[in-house]
Amino acid sequence: MSADSPAPPDRRAKPALTLVLICAAIVLVPVTATGSSVAVPGISQDLSIGLAAAQWVVNGFFLTFGGFMAITGSLADLTGRRRMFAGGVALFCASMVLASFAPNIGLLIAARAVAGVGAAAATTGGSAVLAQTFSGVARTKAFGVFGTAIGLGLAFGPLVAGFLVTSLGGWRTFYLVAAVVLLPILLMSPLLKESRETTTGGIDWAGAVTFTAGLILFVFGLVEGPERGWTDPVVIGALAAFVVLMVVFTVVERRRAEPMFDVSLFARPRFLAICAMPVLLAFGFVALLIVLPPYFMAVDGVSAQYAGLLLVLLTGPTLVVPPVVNTLAGKVSQRLLLVVTMVLVAIGSAWLTVIGPGTSVFVLAGPLICIGIGFGISLAILDGAAVNSVEPGRAGMAAGIFNTMRLAGETISIAVLSAILAGVTRSRLAEAVDEETAAAATARLLQGDMDGAAGAASGAQASGFLEVAQAGYTDAMHAALWTIAVLSVLGALAVGLMMGERAPEAQAEGEPEGDGAETPSPVG
């Protein structure tokens, strides 16, 4: 092209359209993630699967989603952030179509695992595109909208899934609709601006492989433990290998010039606190979205749609609270807000132990709303604080680190709470029936199928088994809720201490040391 030739028109998306396209895609990720818990009972009945297989429909997605975050984040910097986002959306679409037509559980789990990889690529690629498109306060606000999109998906995932599963064709329709909705976004993705990091040292394959393999083995051990038994050699081997791989991962990252995870950052108390928050909150919010619907369906006999509607009490505050917190920016410290977050989750979790057979919506509303308010506060803070903690040139890696912590926490929390529910329920049932019946009934209960659980008991054991099953499942849910409450209290104390360090942005700008006027709330 000659110097006098007119420049071709710039067809790249403007910043506002970029934000809309990325957030529209990202909102579908938590919808399909949490909505799958509502779809599991229908999947279990259609495909005649056991508890472990049913859990892998949910855990398989979270496992690859969290495990591939760091890899896709590094690849986004190296190969192109728009390319990573578009490729992730395409892979997610294809896997949802495959899931909707899966003839057996093996193919369904595989499709959900592939969907997790696509979600990781779309999330890290989209985060990196936003970081390159916006700067300063605009970037903070953009990531606030990004976080709000995630909150919308979390808020309405169970409700959308419940409606589709109950009224519009079942779980296959749920997955197919997700794919169809994403197609227009995929077609418009070429409008986004492309960027890559030219100085990157390449992908840290050693770190990526050891971390991903370690996380997979850890979750495998937690999911299979209740079914195989915690002394089973396969379970023990998986957990032992996880420990070894995490040690190797740490050593590899410390020795690499440009690691996937700069583990030295975790020596900074403030950074550690920010990364610990999503892990702690995964137990008190995301994992509850997964374990509560089967409980409501089994113990109270409600439909998938009604179970999803009940969870709006938990998720609804996440739509209202972030804008309110935004008005407090500069007036209330991040440290105080994060501590309040954990305290509210602790109170709500302990309060939710009122749950039981026939508990009214009015009784459940208080604790569910309390937890939702706490989580909503975090949505207004964490993403903006995390993205401002690193330089824009490593945006992909930054998105990978923080979101890997978030997704690893969600994966682990779901597996841990599921293990607690399975172990305690089975133990309580074994006091009334034989071990084999207790195991079979537990598997059906945790898939939201009380009729199947009752059918597992026969003869003399069937007398009064419904009440025994309801009580056993409720005891297990109480144990899980008290676990969340204790973790949240300990988290509040730890985060309060660690957040006392001066913010990196304050150090760079010469602001006074303390925790007062911090990063603006990312919503608004």
Side-chain angles (χ1 to χ4, degrees), residues 116-201:
V117 179
T123 301
T124 52
S127 297
V129 169
L130 290 182
Q132 295 299 311
T133 303
F134 298 90
S135 61
V137 174
R139 182 192 298 141
T140 304
K141 291 183 177 181
F143 272 92
V145 177
F146 184 84
T148 300
I150 295 175
L152 281 168
L154 290 172
F156 291 106
L159 182 60
V160 170
F163 173 72
L164 292 174
V165 168
T166 302
S167 305
L168 291 181
W171 60 273
R172 296 184 186 276
T173 302
F174 170 57
Y175 290 132
L176 187 59
V177 167
V180 172
V181 170
L182 281 172
L183 282 177
I185 300 168
L186 180 60
L187 294 175
M188 296 179 70
S189 62
L191 295 176
L192 300 175
K193 180 181 178 180
E194 182 62 288
S195 65
R196 58 177 55 86
E197 183 64 27
T198 57
T199 60
T200 182

Side-chain angles (χ1 to χ4, degrees), residues 291-351:
V291 302
L292 283 176
Y295 176 86
F296 290 135
M297 286 185 270
V299 173
D300 291 325
V302 302
S303 67
Q305 185 171 352
Y306 188 79
L309 188 60
L310 276 176
L311 289 187
V312 174
L313 292 169
L314 176 64
T315 59
T318 64
L319 305 180
V320 178
V321 172
V324 174
V325 174
N326 183 56
T327 64
L328 301 177
K331 302 176 183 178
V332 180
S333 71
Q334 284 184 348
R335 176 168 64 174
L336 177 59
L337 289 173
L338 293 180
V339 169
V340 169
T341 289
M342 297 313 306
V343 169
L344 286 174
V345 172
I347 292 172
S349 301
W351 187 2

Side-chain angles (χ1 to χ4, degrees), residues 450-517:
M450 179 60 78
D451 291 338
S458 59
Q461 295 184 113
S463 178
F465 185 77
L466 177 62
E467 290 75 16
V468 171
Q470 289 178 326
Y473 199 174
T474 300
D475 287 347
M477 185 61 70
H478 289 173
L481 291 168
W482 282 118
T483 300
I484 294 170
V486 171
L487 285 175
S488 299
V489 169
L490 295 176
L493 294 173
V495 169
L497 291 173
M498 291 189 291
M499 286 293 289
E501 183 193 39
R502 192 195 313 184
E505 61 268 26
Q507 295 174 6
E509 297 174 10
E511 294 176 6
E513 186 170 349
D515 62 349

Side-chain angles (χ1 to χ4, degrees), residues 236-274:
I236 294 175
L239 297 179
F242 156 73
V243 174
V244 172
L245 285 170
M246 288 299 100
V247 172
V248 173
F249 170 74
T250 303
V251 172
V252 166
E253 296 305 278
R254 286 188 176 278
R255 292 182 177 179
R256 185 174 170 85
E258 294 186 16
M260 180 181 72
F261 276 9
D262 184 356
V263 293
S264 65
L265 288 175
F266 292 103
R268 302 179 184 179
R270 188 181 190 86
F271 182 82
L272 181 60
I274 292 172

Side-chain angles (χ1 to χ4, degrees), residues 209-230:
V209 171
T210 52
F211 178 84
T212 301
L215 181 61
I216 289 172
L217 288 169
F218 182 54
V219 175
F220 176 83
L222 291 178
V223 172
E224 295 293 326
E227 185 130 327
R228 292 174 177 265
W230 294 106

